[in-house]
């Protein structure tokens, strides 16, 4: 700590940022599952950190393109955006909005390791990381029922759906639109078959961490590549067009994953078909 404070007094606040990022980078090497909250895990990791001051400072100063001028520029821009209401305020009117990050995700997840959680958080839209994450549905506690799934989840927007298959793969989808929109009717009085926006994406966490964003980000696409979310009384699905990215049956027990035009993803499970071990849904709320 003395070494850090010496450097801080000599070079300024950027030293504290560098050291914090260096510690978090070391922390992400952990593969343990969440037996406690990530905030507690980080705190315990710092207390038992087996890293000499010299090695810690070496890691901290190995971070490139991290200058005081850039820190100041981002701070000024964030302050301006907050005061012009481009960014939701957090806490008092004089404080900057703070990213809640994965540190606040409940400690009851059975699907995600710490390393996966930190990686997944980087894929979320920036405005969502400033909100409080909460576990709103899990098959472990709420049972395997599509009606219960809708009852617990449909009012929230957006949601993060995470699946663990009995074969070990962990994957899911960021759903940009509330599931209750499935009941919205078109001008002919018929329920929408597909809904959602281009912020929706698929991801895989195990065996490899991969994100599959909407292909329309690259340019104009056909309607078959704009099939984001679907829900009825028999199943839910995310991603369509010549295949289904993720499809889960009405009992939330079995499903399949195929390549689809909307995300141009590879199947998220080996062989395509899977049996659900655990299904969890996280929502986000302003604090």
């Amino acid at each position: 700590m003395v070494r850090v404070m010496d450097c801080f007094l000599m070079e300024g606040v950027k030293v504290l940022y560098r050291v914090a990022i260096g510690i978090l980078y070391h922390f992400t090497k952990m593969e343990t599952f969440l037996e406690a909250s990530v905030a507690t895990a980080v705190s315990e990791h710092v207390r038992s950190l087996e890293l000499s001051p010299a090695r810690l400072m070496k890691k901290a100063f190995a971070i490139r393109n991290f200058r005081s001028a850039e820190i100041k520029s981002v701070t000024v821009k964030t302050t301006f955006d907050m005061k012009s209401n481009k960014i939701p305020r957090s806490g008092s009117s004089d404080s900057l909005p703070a990213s809640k990050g994965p540190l606040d995700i409940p400690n009851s997840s059975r699907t995600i390791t710490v390393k996966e959680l930190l990686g997944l958080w980087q894929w979320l839209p920036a405005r969502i990381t400033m909100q409080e994450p909460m576990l709103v549905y899990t098959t472990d506690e709420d049972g395997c029922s599509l009606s219960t799934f809708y009852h617990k989840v449909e009012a929230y927007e957006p949601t993060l759906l995470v699946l663990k298959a009995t074969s070990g793969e962990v994957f899911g989808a960021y759903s940009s639109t509330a599931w209750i929109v499935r009941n919205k009717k078109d001008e002919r009085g018929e329920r929408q078959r597909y809904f959602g926006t281009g912020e929706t994406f698929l991801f895989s966490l195990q065996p490899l961490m991969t994100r599959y964003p909407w292909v329309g980000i690259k340019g104009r696409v056909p309607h078959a590549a704009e099939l984001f979310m679907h829900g009825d009384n028999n199943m839910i699905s995310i991603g369509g067009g010549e295949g289904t990215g993720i499809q889960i049956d009405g009992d939330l027990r079995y499903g399949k994953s195929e390549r689809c035009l909307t995300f141009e993803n590879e199947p998220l499970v080996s062989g395509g078909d899977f049996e659900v071990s655990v299904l969890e849904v996280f929502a986000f709320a302003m604090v």
Side-chain angles (χ1 to χ4, degrees):
M1 188 63 182
V2 174
R3 179 79 174 273
V4 173
M5 292 307 298
D6 283 345
C7 293
F8 165 66
L9 293 174
M10 291 292 295
E11 300 195 31
V13 70
K14 69 178 182 181
V15 172
L16 302 183
Y17 283 100
R18 286 181 175 274
V19 170
I21 293 173
I23 291 174
L24 286 174
Y25 177 78
H26 190 265
F27 174 70
T28 60
K29 299 298 182 181
M30 297 171 58
E31 294 288 348
T32 181
F33 280 84
L34 296 177
E35 297 178 357
S37 68
V38 182
T40 301
V42 171
S43 178
E44 293 176 353
H45 178 73
V46 171
R47 291 194 189 95
S48 60
L49 190 65
E50 296 181 359
L51 203 62
S52 68
R55 285 187 61 197
L56 176 58
M57 298 307 290
K58 184 177 180 180
K59 283 181 176 292
F61 282 88
I63 302 170
R64 298 183 178 181
N65 301 320
F66 198 70
R67 299 171 297 176
S68 297
E70 293 179 355
I71 296 173
K72 184 176 180 179
S73 175
V74 171
T75 301
V76 170
K77 183 179 184 303
T78 303
T79 304
F80 175 82
D81 287 346
M82 184 191 69
K83 291 183 180 299
S84 60
N85 294 322
K86 291 182 180 179
I87 297 178
R89 295 174 184 267
S90 176
S92 71
S93 60
D94 296 324
S95 63
L96 293 176
S99 172
K100 299 302 295 183
L103 301 181
D104 296 285
I105 281 187
N107 60 14
S108 55
S109 174
R110 281 193 53 217
T111 59
I112 313 176
T113 66
V114 170
K115 183 176 181 180
E116 292 164 355
L117 188 56
L118 294 172
L120 176 58
W121 204 253
Q122 298 176 24
W123 296 337
L124 300 179
R127 71 182 188 282
I128 301 304
T129 66
M130 296 177 187
Q131 300 183 27
E132 179 90 26
M134 53 187 176
L135 183 64
V136 295
Y137 176 82
T138 170
T139 51
D140 273 356
E141 297 181 5
D142 301 310
C144 300
S145 164
L146 187 55
S147 60
T148 303
F149 170 90
Y150 286 139
H151 176 72
K152 292 272 190 175
V153 170
E154 64 181 10
Y156 295 101
E157 179 179 306
T159 52
L160 188 66
L161 185 150
V162 185
L163 286 153
K164 183 173 184 179
T166 55
S167 52
E169 292 101 334
V170 179
F171 56 98
Y174 173 80
S175 305
S176 62
T177 303
W179 284 97
I180 198 171
V181 176
R182 75 188 189 281
N183 294 324
K184 187 175 181 180
K185 297 181 179 180
D186 59 22
E187 61 276 5
R188 295 175 296 180
E190 298 178 356
R191 288 185 178 180
Q192 299 184 85
R193 181 165 174 77
Y194 282 94
F195 54 97
T197 72
E199 277 194 330
T200 302
F201 63 83
L202 301 180
F203 60 84
S204 172
L205 298 178
Q206 287 287 354
L208 297 174
M209 292 189 66
T210 309
R211 175 176 177 261
Y212 297 100
W214 177 44
V215 296
I217 293 174
K218 303 174 184 177
R220 184 181 292 271
V221 294
H223 175 67
E226 296 179 332
L227 308 180
F228 301 109
M229 300 166 60
H230 169 79
D232 57 32
N233 294 331
N234 300 311
M235 68 171 186
I236 58 172
S237 65
I238 303 100
E242 298 183 4
T244 305
I246 297 176
Q247 179 178 310
I248 310 170
D249 69 7
D251 294 323
L252 304 184
R253 294 292 305 275
Y254 299 97
K256 65 178 180 180
S257 176
E258 303 170 320
R259 180 180 176 85
C260 69
L261 293 179
T262 300
F263 301 109
E264 289 186 350
N265 59 289
E266 296 300 321
L268 303 177
V269 293
S270 178
D273 296 327
F274 62 87
E275 181 178 354
V276 177
S277 174
V278 184
L279 186 156
E280 297 177 340
V281 180
F282 294 94
F284 306 87
M286 293 301 298
V287 292

